[in-house]
Amino acid sequence: MANTKFQIMGNFFDDLYKKVFQSSEQIPLNHKENYSLKKEELDEAVSWSQNEEGKEILNLIYRNYHFKKTQINEFPQVHIFESPYANGFAVSYGEPLNLKSFSKVFLAFSQRVLALGYRQVSLDRKIEEINDQVKLTEKFYFKPPLQAPTEGELISQLFGNVALEKISIDNTPSYIKLLVTIYSDRLYNNPKPFDQFLDLLFEVNYDG
């Protein structure tokens, strides 16, 4: 009887030890936090998007998006997402993008979405371990401006909600993804066409 008691206690402490002192190598990395950017960083990205280098790269991405729709791949490679409720694209890291311009594209897109009348809901980054690789996702999330419901009138959703992500794998840039998701609620007007959003994203002017 005593041996049985000690055996049970031994199993209990063995299980407790495994739970409390489990090796950190066996626990996948998963961390998410909100963060903010300095105004100077954002202003620099806007200025870059308006100089010769920035315009050239953004024009390439815009051109390659339309090339991709005809099954032509050019660099930087663009991938297209199309569905009844979400549309978007992704830009893979590679020539002529470098570390600096890759980040500038991401930030410039964020400021252009704001210039289209959106409000920024969040900016966060998530670090997670997937298949022995560390994935870093930096994400802006935008929604249309808040509107008080008016009797007999539908709420404008502009083009829908906008998610903008920059992905790095093992500290190496991977891709930038922009996805517009529409509301299917009957309280909202139909969204404006995604093609119009895309044209404005690449052509919108700033007042300064």
Side-chain angles (χ1 to χ4, degrees):
M1 185 72 176
N3 288 339
T4 302
K5 181 179 179 181
F6 283 121
Q7 183 178 4
I8 293 174
M9 291 296 291
N11 291 339
F12 170 79
F13 282 116
D14 285 343
D15 290 342
L16 181 63
Y17 180 88
K18 289 175 184 177
K19 290 177 181 177
V20 176
F21 298 100
Q22 184 180 22
S23 169
S24 61
E25 294 179 355
Q26 298 173 337
I27 303 175
L29 179 65
N30 196 323
H31 175 72
K32 184 177 180 179
E33 64 181 5
N34 295 322
Y35 73 105
S36 59
L37 294 164
K38 294 180 180 179
K39 184 177 183 300
E40 291 79 4
E41 292 180 79
L42 300 172
D43 289 345
E44 284 178 13
V46 171
S47 296
W48 173 86
S49 71
Q50 296 172 323
N51 69 28
E52 186 176 346
E53 178 193 5
K55 286 180 178 179
E56 182 178 350
I57 287 178
L58 292 175
N59 286 339
L60 275 176
I61 295 172
Y62 182 70
R63 185 198 68 179
N64 291 351
Y65 172 89
H66 290 286
F67 278 174
K68 184 68 175 182
K69 291 180 80 74
T70 60
Q71 307 304 312
I72 299 173
N73 288 314
E74 293 286 349
F75 293 97
Q77 287 194 5
V78 175
H79 312 273
I80 297 174
F81 306 98
E82 293 179 325
S83 79
Y85 298 105
N87 293 281
F89 65 93
V91 183
S92 293
Y93 180 73
E95 293 292 340
L97 294 168
N98 54 35
L99 287 172
K100 178 181 176 182
S101 59
F102 187 70
S103 180
K104 289 286 192 288
V105 168
F106 175 63
L107 297 182
F109 279 160
S110 75
Q111 298 310 289
R112 291 191 170 196
V113 172
L114 289 174
L116 294 177
Y118 279 85
R119 60 188 173 93
Q120 181 180 315
V121 176
S122 62
L123 170 60
D124 59 55
R125 55 189 164 212
K126 182 178 182 181
I127 304 173
E128 53 190 331
E129 187 178 350
I130 303 174
N131 298 327
D132 296 325
Q133 293 182 313
V134 177
K135 178 182 179 182
L136 170 62
T137 303
E138 298 170 74
K139 180 179 180 180
F140 283 97
Y141 193 61
F142 304 94
K143 285 189 173 185
L146 291 172
Q147 301 171 61
T150 303
E151 187 175 353
E153 292 186 11
L154 297 177
I155 301 171
S156 170
Q157 61 173 296
L158 297 180
F159 302 92
N161 293 336
V162 181
L164 174 64
E165 299 178 342
K166 178 161 70 79
I167 312 296
S168 299
I169 306 293
D170 287 341
N171 209 31
T172 300
S174 183
Y175 61 91
I176 292 169
K177 182 174 79 172
L178 186 149
L179 193 66
V180 179
T181 306
I182 69 171
Y183 294 98
S184 57
D185 195 310
R186 286 182 294 178
L187 292 174
Y188 292 88
N189 274 318
N190 290 331
K192 297 179 182 180
F194 177 72
D195 286 345
Q196 183 183 348
F197 171 85
L198 196 70
D199 291 343
L200 291 170
L201 181 73
F202 284 94
E203 297 176 358
V204 68
N205 293 317
Y206 293 85
D207 294 326

